[in-house]
Every structure is written in structure tokens, then in C-alpha cells.
Amino acid sequence: MLPQLYPQAFYAEDQPSAHTILTIHVLHRGFNAGALAGSALPLLNASFARLFSRPPHSLPLALRVATSAGTGSVIGTALLAVGLTARMWEREEVEWQDRSWRLLSNGGQNRTDDWSMMGAG
């Protein structure tokens, strides 16, 4: 996704839009990580309920997973937005450029971004 929108400069110091590239990547990963963690919670809860013979939940499992995934994606995005701000606070422009340049040059990460965008669409 990102290499198609933002071309990679030849040198890291010349990378344009470094703040935008890194922010888009971190927020996108926060959304994915939060949705994954949120989806796992109702599944674990249902497993433990059966294991300890608790009464079943009133809502269907699929609805609980979808609701929890949505909530988790919002929380994950917010947490990683705060994390990005804390990590990159008072960093120089060249550090932003270096991180975004390395991100764009990572082929595995680019494939992951492409697959996750296809899944989101």
C-alpha cells in the first residue's frame, strides 16, 4: 500500500512525507492488532465457560466476536497512536525519514500491508 502511494527515495535522508508514512503504517497496524486481540477475547471466554461449566452467554458467539473485534480495533489504534507519539517525541526529521525509508524498503512488510488492505476492502 505505502510504496504505491509514497515512492521510496534513493537515500533515507531524502525520503519525503516521512511523518505521514510512519503514522499511516502504525495506525494501520494498531487497527489490525486490536481487531485480532479483540476477536480472541470472546473465543477464550467461551472456551473457559465450557471448561468450567458456566452457563452460556445470551448473545451468539459470532456477534460477540464481531463486537469485540470492532472495539479492539478502536482501542488498538488509539494505543498505538499514543505509542507512536511517545516513541517519536522530539525526534529529529532524519530519524522519521530513516524509519519510513526502512519501512518502504522492507518487502515482507509491504506484502503484509497489501494483503491487509485487500482484506479491509
mmCIF file of all heavy atoms in Angstrom, residues 25-51:
data_model
loop_
_atom_site.group_PDB
_atom_site.id
_atom_site.type_symbol
_atom_site.label_atom_id
_atom_site.label_comp_id
_atom_site.label_asym_id
_atom_site.label_seq_id
_atom_site.Cartn_x
_atom_site.Cartn_y
_atom_site.Cartn_z
ATOM 1 N N HIS A 25 1.326 3.750 8.706
ATOM 2 C CA HIS A 25 1.709 2.370 8.997
ATOM 3 C C HIS A 25 1.360 1.980 10.435
ATOM 4 O O HIS A 25 0.781 0.917 10.672
ATOM 5 C CB HIS A 25 3.204 2.183 8.759
ATOM 6 C CG HIS A 25 3.709 0.867 9.249
ATOM 7 N ND1 HIS A 25 3.454 -0.309 8.581
ATOM 8 C CD2 HIS A 25 4.415 0.528 10.341
ATOM 9 C CE1 HIS A 25 3.989 -1.309 9.249
ATOM 10 N NE2 HIS A 25 4.589 -0.826 10.325
ATOM 11 N N VAL A 26 1.693 2.823 11.386
ATOM 12 C CA VAL A 26 1.461 2.493 12.796
ATOM 13 C C VAL A 26 -0.038 2.409 13.091
ATOM 14 O O VAL A 26 -0.498 1.489 13.784
ATOM 15 C CB VAL A 26 2.164 3.514 13.713
ATOM 16 C CG1 VAL A 26 1.705 3.380 15.148
ATOM 17 C CG2 VAL A 26 3.668 3.337 13.625
ATOM 18 N N LEU A 27 -0.824 3.332 12.581
ATOM 19 C CA LEU A 27 -2.269 3.288 12.828
ATOM 20 C C LEU A 27 -2.908 2.069 12.170
ATOM 21 O O LEU A 27 -3.815 1.451 12.741
ATOM 22 C CB LEU A 27 -2.928 4.574 12.349
ATOM 23 C CG LEU A 27 -2.523 5.844 13.101
ATOM 24 C CD1 LEU A 27 -3.243 7.051 12.527
ATOM 25 C CD2 LEU A 27 -2.764 5.717 14.585
ATOM 26 N N HIS A 28 -2.422 1.713 10.999
ATOM 27 C CA HIS A 28 -2.930 0.527 10.306
ATOM 28 C C HIS A 28 -2.614 -0.733 11.111
ATOM 29 O O HIS A 28 -3.457 -1.623 11.279
ATOM 30 C CB HIS A 28 -2.303 0.461 8.917
ATOM 31 C CG HIS A 28 -2.901 -0.552 8.023
ATOM 32 N ND1 HIS A 28 -2.281 -1.001 6.901
ATOM 33 C CD2 HIS A 28 -4.075 -1.226 8.078
ATOM 34 C CE1 HIS A 28 -3.022 -1.908 6.313
ATOM 35 N NE2 HIS A 28 -4.121 -2.059 7.003
ATOM 36 N N ARG A 29 -1.391 -0.837 11.606
ATOM 37 C CA ARG A 29 -1.022 -1.989 12.429
ATOM 38 C C ARG A 29 -1.792 -2.007 13.746
ATOM 39 O O ARG A 29 -2.135 -3.072 14.256
ATOM 40 C CB ARG A 29 0.481 -1.984 12.735
ATOM 41 C CG ARG A 29 1.364 -2.202 11.532
ATOM 42 C CD ARG A 29 1.410 -3.650 11.041
ATOM 43 N NE ARG A 29 0.257 -4.108 10.313
ATOM 44 C CZ ARG A 29 0.012 -3.891 9.019
ATOM 45 N NH1 ARG A 29 0.835 -3.184 8.305
ATOM 46 N NH2 ARG A 29 -1.058 -4.370 8.446
ATOM 47 N N GLY A 30 -2.064 -0.843 14.317
ATOM 48 C CA GLY A 30 -2.856 -0.781 15.540
ATOM 49 C C GLY A 30 -4.270 -1.296 15.327
ATOM 50 O O GLY A 30 -4.822 -2.000 16.175
ATOM 51 N N PHE A 31 -4.845 -0.938 14.201
ATOM 52 C CA PHE A 31 -6.184 -1.420 13.864
ATOM 53 C C PHE A 31 -6.184 -2.940 13.746
ATOM 54 O O PHE A 31 -7.047 -3.624 14.312
ATOM 55 C CB PHE A 31 -6.647 -0.771 12.555
ATOM 56 C CG PHE A 31 -8.066 -1.066 12.206
ATOM 57 C CD1 PHE A 31 -9.083 -0.270 12.693
ATOM 58 C CD2 PHE A 31 -8.395 -2.133 11.402
ATOM 59 C CE1 PHE A 31 -10.409 -0.526 12.379
ATOM 60 C CE2 PHE A 31 -9.706 -2.409 11.078
ATOM 61 C CZ PHE A 31 -10.714 -1.605 11.564
ATOM 62 N N ASN A 32 -5.192 -3.482 13.027
ATOM 63 C CA ASN A 32 -5.118 -4.939 12.841
ATOM 64 C C ASN A 32 -4.861 -5.664 14.153
ATOM 65 O O ASN A 32 -5.494 -6.686 14.436
ATOM 66 C CB ASN A 32 -4.016 -5.284 11.849
ATOM 67 C CG ASN A 32 -4.350 -4.867 10.435
ATOM 68 O OD1 ASN A 32 -5.473 -4.497 10.139
ATOM 69 N ND2 ASN A 32 -3.378 -4.900 9.570
ATOM 70 N N ALA A 33 -3.921 -5.177 14.931
ATOM 71 C CA ALA A 33 -3.586 -5.846 16.196
ATOM 72 C C ALA A 33 -4.753 -5.790 17.177
ATOM 73 O O ALA A 33 -5.043 -6.765 17.873
ATOM 74 C CB ALA A 33 -2.348 -5.202 16.809
ATOM 75 N N GLY A 34 -5.435 -4.657 17.238
ATOM 76 C CA GLY A 34 -6.579 -4.535 18.128
ATOM 77 C C GLY A 34 -7.725 -5.447 17.728
ATOM 78 O O GLY A 34 -8.383 -6.060 18.583
ATOM 79 N N ALA A 35 -7.963 -5.560 16.426
ATOM 80 C CA ALA A 35 -9.031 -6.446 15.952
ATOM 81 C C ALA A 35 -8.700 -7.906 16.256
ATOM 82 O O ALA A 35 -9.574 -8.679 16.655
ATOM 83 C CB ALA A 35 -9.250 -6.254 14.456
ATOM 84 N N LEU A 36 -7.444 -8.277 16.100
ATOM 85 C CA LEU A 36 -7.032 -9.645 16.401
ATOM 86 C C LEU A 36 -7.182 -9.945 17.894
ATOM 87 O O LEU A 36 -7.752 -10.974 18.280
ATOM 88 C CB LEU A 36 -5.592 -9.885 15.962
ATOM 89 C CG LEU A 36 -5.029 -11.267 16.237
ATOM 90 C CD1 LEU A 36 -5.762 -12.308 15.403
ATOM 91 C CD2 LEU A 36 -3.552 -11.299 15.959
ATOM 92 N N ALA A 37 -6.690 -9.052 18.719
ATOM 93 C CA ALA A 37 -6.794 -9.263 20.172
ATOM 94 C C ALA A 37 -8.253 -9.230 20.623
ATOM 95 O O ALA A 37 -8.675 -10.046 21.458
ATOM 96 C CB ALA A 37 -5.993 -8.191 20.908
ATOM 97 N N GLY A 38 -9.032 -8.317 20.063
ATOM 98 C CA GLY A 38 -10.443 -8.240 20.423
ATOM 99 C C GLY A 38 -11.222 -9.471 20.009
ATOM 100 O O GLY A 38 -12.137 -9.905 20.714
ATOM 101 N N SER A 39 -10.873 -10.061 18.882
ATOM 102 C CA SER A 39 -11.551 -11.279 18.426
ATOM 103 C C SER A 39 -11.236 -12.472 19.304
ATOM 104 O O SER A 39 -12.052 -13.380 19.451
ATOM 105 C CB SER A 39 -11.136 -11.603 16.986
ATOM 106 O OG SER A 39 -11.513 -10.570 16.126
ATOM 107 N N ALA A 40 -10.045 -12.471 19.870
ATOM 108 C CA ALA A 40 -9.632 -13.621 20.682
ATOM 109 C C ALA A 40 -10.339 -13.652 22.040
ATOM 110 O O ALA A 40 -10.563 -14.741 22.587
ATOM 111 C CB ALA A 40 -8.127 -13.592 20.887
ATOM 112 N N LEU A 41 -10.698 -12.519 22.584
ATOM 113 C CA LEU A 41 -11.282 -12.481 23.927
ATOM 114 C C LEU A 41 -12.591 -13.254 24.055
ATOM 115 O O LEU A 41 -12.733 -14.060 24.979
ATOM 116 C CB LEU A 41 -11.450 -11.041 24.389
ATOM 117 C CG LEU A 41 -10.141 -10.293 24.663
ATOM 118 C CD1 LEU A 41 -10.428 -8.855 25.036
ATOM 119 C CD2 LEU A 41 -9.332 -10.986 25.726
ATOM 120 N N PRO A 42 -13.586 -13.063 23.177
ATOM 121 C CA PRO A 42 -14.817 -13.854 23.332
ATOM 122 C C PRO A 42 -14.601 -15.352 23.079
ATOM 123 O O PRO A 42 -15.280 -16.185 23.680
ATOM 124 C CB PRO A 42 -15.784 -13.275 22.306
ATOM 125 C CG PRO A 42 -15.134 -12.142 21.684
ATOM 126 C CD PRO A 42 -13.735 -12.051 22.157
ATOM 127 N N LEU A 43 -13.643 -15.681 22.215
ATOM 128 C CA LEU A 43 -13.363 -17.098 21.971
ATOM 129 C C LEU A 43 -12.754 -17.745 23.210
ATOM 130 O O LEU A 43 -13.122 -18.869 23.572
ATOM 131 C CB LEU A 43 -12.425 -17.239 20.768
ATOM 132 C CG LEU A 43 -12.999 -16.769 19.429
ATOM 133 C CD1 LEU A 43 -11.925 -16.801 18.356
ATOM 134 C CD2 LEU A 43 -14.192 -17.604 19.030
ATOM 135 N N LEU A 44 -11.829 -17.037 23.854
ATOM 136 C CA LEU A 44 -11.263 -17.561 25.096
ATOM 137 C C LEU A 44 -12.317 -17.647 26.192
ATOM 138 O O LEU A 44 -12.355 -18.616 26.956
ATOM 139 C CB LEU A 44 -10.100 -16.678 25.554
ATOM 140 C CG LEU A 44 -8.840 -16.738 24.710
ATOM 141 C CD1 LEU A 44 -7.858 -15.678 25.158
ATOM 142 C CD2 LEU A 44 -8.219 -18.115 24.780
ATOM 143 N N ASN A 45 -13.160 -16.643 26.261
ATOM 144 C CA ASN A 45 -14.215 -16.632 27.266
ATOM 145 C C ASN A 45 -15.167 -17.813 27.062
ATOM 146 O O ASN A 45 -15.568 -18.482 28.024
ATOM 147 C CB ASN A 45 -14.974 -15.304 27.214
ATOM 148 C CG ASN A 45 -15.909 -15.139 28.375
ATOM 149 O OD1 ASN A 45 -15.866 -15.879 29.349
ATOM 150 N ND2 ASN A 45 -16.784 -14.148 28.270
ATOM 151 N N ALA A 46 -15.519 -18.090 25.811
ATOM 152 C CA ALA A 46 -16.412 -19.214 25.525
ATOM 153 C C ALA A 46 -15.733 -20.545 25.858
ATOM 154 O O ALA A 46 -16.374 -21.468 26.376
ATOM 155 C CB ALA A 46 -16.830 -19.187 24.057
ATOM 156 N N SER A 47 -14.445 -20.636 25.593
ATOM 157 C CA SER A 47 -13.717 -21.868 25.916
ATOM 158 C C SER A 47 -13.667 -22.100 27.420
ATOM 159 O O SER A 47 -13.892 -23.217 27.889
ATOM 160 C CB SER A 47 -12.290 -21.787 25.370
ATOM 161 O OG SER A 47 -12.304 -21.658 23.980
ATOM 162 N N PHE A 48 -13.369 -21.060 28.180
ATOM 163 C CA PHE A 48 -13.317 -21.200 29.629
ATOM 164 C C PHE A 48 -14.699 -21.456 30.221
ATOM 165 O O PHE A 48 -14.826 -22.164 31.217
ATOM 166 C CB PHE A 48 -12.682 -19.969 30.280
ATOM 167 C CG PHE A 48 -11.192 -19.925 30.115
ATOM 168 C CD1 PHE A 48 -10.584 -18.826 29.562
ATOM 169 C CD2 PHE A 48 -10.398 -20.987 30.513
ATOM 170 C CE1 PHE A 48 -9.215 -18.762 29.401
ATOM 171 C CE2 PHE A 48 -9.029 -20.952 30.363
ATOM 172 C CZ PHE A 48 -8.424 -19.830 29.801
ATOM 173 N N ALA A 49 -15.732 -20.895 29.616
ATOM 174 C CA ALA A 49 -17.083 -21.137 30.112
ATOM 175 C C ALA A 49 -17.445 -22.620 29.974
ATOM 176 O O ALA A 49 -18.055 -23.205 30.870
ATOM 177 C CB ALA A 49 -18.082 -20.274 29.356
ATOM 178 N N ARG A 50 -17.066 -23.217 28.854
ATOM 179 C CA ARG A 50 -17.336 -24.647 28.674
ATOM 180 C C ARG A 50 -16.466 -25.488 29.598
ATOM 181 O O ARG A 50 -16.905 -26.500 30.130
ATOM 182 C CB ARG A 50 -17.081 -25.057 27.240
ATOM 183 C CG ARG A 50 -18.160 -24.605 26.318
ATOM 184 C CD ARG A 50 -17.929 -25.151 24.942
ATOM 185 N NE ARG A 50 -18.943 -24.620 24.064
ATOM 186 C CZ ARG A 50 -19.377 -25.242 22.998
ATOM 187 N NH1 ARG A 50 -18.869 -26.411 22.678
ATOM 188 N NH2 ARG A 50 -20.295 -24.703 22.249
ATOM 189 N N LEU A 51 -15.226 -25.049 29.770
ATOM 190 C CA LEU A 51 -14.298 -25.806 30.599
ATOM 191 C C LEU A 51 -14.745 -25.837 32.060
ATOM 192 O O LEU A 51 -14.660 -26.862 32.722
ATOM 193 C CB LEU A 51 -12.895 -25.199 30.487
ATOM 194 C CG LEU A 51 -11.762 -25.920 31.207
ATOM 195 C CD1 LEU A 51 -11.535 -27.299 30.591
ATOM 196 C CD2 LEU A 51 -10.494 -25.093 31.133
#
